[in-house]
Amino acid sequence: MTKKQFIDQIARRAIRMKVGGFRPTDNPLASWIGKVLVASAEESWPHTNGKPMLPLCQINLDEFAFKPELVNDIALITVFITSGELPLDGDENGTSWCLRAYKTTDDLVPLSQLKVPSPIKPMQMIPEVIEQDFPHWEDCPIPVPARFEDNYSELFPNAEGIKFGGWPTLIQGEISWTSAIEPQFAFQVDSVEKARWQWGDNGVAYFGRSEKKTDQWTFSWQSY
């Protein structure tokens, strides 16, 4: 197998969010880390154990150059997490974390803002295309040819960051989804130093969705 043949079988396109470094807009539908600005008219700010949750991110998928297959029916996603402690693997959506996915932005309205103490520095984001994103060795769908084994990660790099599609950035091996919905990797929210956000020790959170594209989501995270 040639290198090109190998790449053709394992490479995936992805969308990665560029954090800051540009003039932010005042568009309420813009993508943010550390801020959520919109919701549906019947939704309010989510709480857990009587406390308001932290706004983790708002991401406008309609701004993407393309949408990965698993999220191609979604226009905008918002994510909140518990304040003071990180969610646990296996927690259901709406408990220690809250993901809201919208099929259209037409009916979204401004979300009444709460003053929630947060370690995150809000920063606007814009999408960029990753033409070739590669799996970590553990995730590779086919055997790695012997001649690539010694420098696999250099030849076939995995794109880190807040990312939709592509392959997950693994830290402790393959993702151990604990959900019964048989999820597939949809997107990840990485630690972002410039936004002062960390999942434990420079970790990554993964969000999975059923291939049937239901409204069921699941969550897992890893760190060093």
Side-chain angles (χ1 to χ4, degrees):
M1 182 184 297
T2 67
K3 182 179 179 181
K4 182 181 183 304
Q5 289 172 329
F6 185 57
I7 287 174
D8 288 344
Q9 294 189 58
I10 66 172
R12 293 178 178 174
R13 297 178 83 201
I15 295 289
R16 180 169 59 187
M17 305 305 295
K18 178 183 178 183
V19 181
F22 58 93
R23 184 182 297 277
T25 73
D26 58 1
N27 179 4
L29 298 176
S31 298
W32 286 86
I33 182 170
K35 187 179 288 190
V36 173
L37 296 173
V38 296
S40 63
E42 66 273 13
E43 291 174 329
S44 58
W45 197 278
H47 288 65
T48 182
N49 297 323
K51 297 181 180 180
M53 302 180 84
L54 296 180
L56 179 62
C57 62
Q58 170 177 295
I59 301 177
N60 188 340
L61 283 69
D62 279 349
E63 296 180 338
F64 291 4
F66 74 95
K67 292 182 185 179
E69 175 65 26
L70 201 57
V71 292
N72 66 5
D73 60 329
I74 295 174
L76 187 138
I77 283 176
T78 64
V79 182
F80 301 81
I81 61 171
T82 52
S83 175
E85 58 184 0
L86 294 171
L88 298 176
D89 285 14
D91 284 354
E92 293 185 359
N93 190 9
T95 56
S96 60
W97 59 282
C98 176
L99 185 154
R100 296 169 172 174
Y102 305 96
K103 301 295 181 70
T104 177
T105 60
D106 293 345
D107 301 323
L108 298 184
V109 299
L111 177 63
S112 181
Q113 299 294 295
L114 297 184
K115 293 183 178 180
V116 185
S118 173
I120 308 174
K121 177 184 177 181
M123 300 186 74
Q124 205 168 103
M125 305 185 290
I126 54 175
E128 58 183 11
V129 176
I130 304 296
E131 290 292 350
Q132 291 184 330
D133 188 32
F134 296 100
H136 284 255
W137 190 311
E138 304 95 315
D139 255 357
C140 194
I142 60 175
V144 177
R147 66 183 182 281
F148 300 144
E149 291 180 355
D150 291 341
N151 55 351
Y152 175 87
S153 60
E154 288 77 26
L155 291 171
F156 312 107
N158 176 269
E160 299 179 348
I162 298 175
K163 179 176 66 176
F164 283 71
W167 293 89
T169 301
L170 302 178
I171 297 174
Q172 297 180 2
E174 292 181 85
I175 302 171
S176 297
W177 303 112
T178 57
S179 172
I181 67 171
E182 299 182 354
Q184 298 294 318
F185 170 72
F187 71 100
Q188 68 181 39
V189 178
D190 209 336
S191 296
V192 183
E193 183 176 359
K194 64 170 66 175
R196 305 173 192 157
W197 174 245
Q198 293 280 326
W199 293 97
D201 182 6
N202 202 32
V204 183
Y206 316 102
F207 295 85
R209 189 186 191 197
S210 166
E211 285 187 304
K212 297 178 182 178
K213 298 183 183 177
T214 66
D215 291 331
Q216 293 178 295
W217 294 80
T218 191
F219 165 89
S220 183
W221 68 281
Q222 302 176 1
S223 70
Y224 290 96

